[in-house]
Amino acid sequence: MTTHAPRPHLEDSLSPRRVLASEPVYEGRIWDVRSDTFELAPGSEPLRRDFIEHPGAVAILPMDEQGRVLMLRQYRHPVGMDLWEIPAGLLDVDGESNLDAAARELAEEADLTASEWHVLVDFFTSPGSSSEAIRIYLARGLAEIPHHERHERTAEESEIEFAWVELDEAVAAVLDGRLHNPSAVVAVLAAAARRDAFEQLRPGDAPWPAHPAQR
C-alpha cells in the first residue's frame, strides 16, 4: 500500500537566512542592484546573489457597473512593444499607504476615482532576480475626474490609449497569447476566477507582510 506525505499548507512563508555581507553594486534612478552573501544553513558554503532592489508597486483593475475592465495601451521600450496594461505605479512616495498610492495612480493614469476597493492579488514579478512586489486592486464604484482637475501625463504616458473590455474578452486575449503585461495577465485571470465572489476579497487596506519593505 502506497503512503503519501501529508499535504503541505499552501502558503508562502518568510525564511530568514544569515546574511554575511550586503552591498550596493549599482544605484539607479528608480531601483538599485544589491549583492548579498548568505548561508542556506549555519556553516554551509556561502552563496552570493545579485538582485534588483525595488520599491514595489501597485496596480489597479478598474471595473464598471457592466463588469467591463479598463485597459490602457502604452509603449514599453525594453520590449519594444505597445502593451495593453492596467493602471499601475511605483510605491515611491514616503509615507503614502498602498491604498493611497493605488488611488493616486488610478487618478493619474485613468482619470478615475473609485469608492470600492478590494485586494485582488499579490505577487512577485521575478523573485529569482528582483525584490519587486506588486499588489493588484479591484476598483469599483468608478467616477470620472473633471477635466480641469486631471493629471497632465508626459513622456510615454502622454500616448496612453483607453479601452473598456468585457472580462471574458480580456481572458481570451491572455490565453491566446495576445496580452503580455504581467499585472494585466494576473489581474484579468484573478478577476475571472473571483467574479461571483468579489465581496470575499481582502479589504483595500489589508496588510501586506510579504512585501520585503513592509515586514
Side-chain angles (χ1 to χ4, degrees), residues 160-187:
I160 284 179
E161 301 174 22
F162 301 96
W164 286 99
V165 181
E166 297 290 341
L167 183 57
D168 286 339
E169 180 183 348
V171 170
V174 170
L175 298 180
D176 290 345
R178 291 183 277 123
L179 294 185
H180 303 87
N181 175 268
S183 295
V185 169
V186 172

Side-chain angles (χ1 to χ4, degrees), residues 16-77:
R17 308 300 173 109
R18 184 183 177 206
V19 178
L20 305 176
S22 181
E23 59 181 353
V25 295
Y26 169 79
E27 295 184 357
R29 185 174 62 88
I30 297 175
W31 51 72
D32 303 331
V33 175
R34 178 166 292 276
S35 182
D36 279 5
T37 303
F38 63 96
E39 294 177 334
L40 286 178
S44 64
E45 185 71 21
L47 300 175
R48 181 174 177 175
R49 297 290 183 265
D50 296 346
F51 63 95
I52 297 170
E53 195 171 34
H54 195 285
V58 290
I60 308 96
L61 185 69
M63 180 176 286
D64 67 10
E65 294 179 354
Q66 291 76 46
R68 299 178 303 170
V69 296
L70 183 66
M71 307 291 293
L72 320 179
R73 193 176 191 219
Q74 184 174 350
Y75 174 64
R76 293 300 186 181
H77 186 71

Side-chain angles (χ1 to χ4, degrees), residues 97-99 117-119 135 137 202-208:
S97 71
N98 303 320
L99 184 55
W117 291 89
H118 288 89
V119 176
R135 166 160 285 186
Y137 292 89
R202 288 170 289 165
D205 60 354
W208 191 3

Side-chain angles (χ1 to χ4, degrees), residues 82-110:
D82 292 322
L83 300 182
W84 284 103
E85 307 181 348
I86 58 176
L90 297 171
L91 291 169
D92 58 356
V93 177
D94 289 342
E96 186 177 54
S97 71
N98 303 320
L99 184 55
D100 286 344
R104 173 176 55 80
E105 291 295 343
L106 182 63
E108 291 180 359
E109 292 200 350

Side-chain angles (χ1 to χ4, degrees), residues 115-139:
S115 60
E116 299 177 50
W117 291 89
H118 288 89
V119 176
L120 189 55
V121 68
D122 299 328
F123 72 105
F124 296 124
T125 55
S126 184
S129 61
S130 172
S131 66
E132 182 179 16
I134 294 185
R135 166 160 285 186
I136 301 179
Y137 292 89
L138 176 68

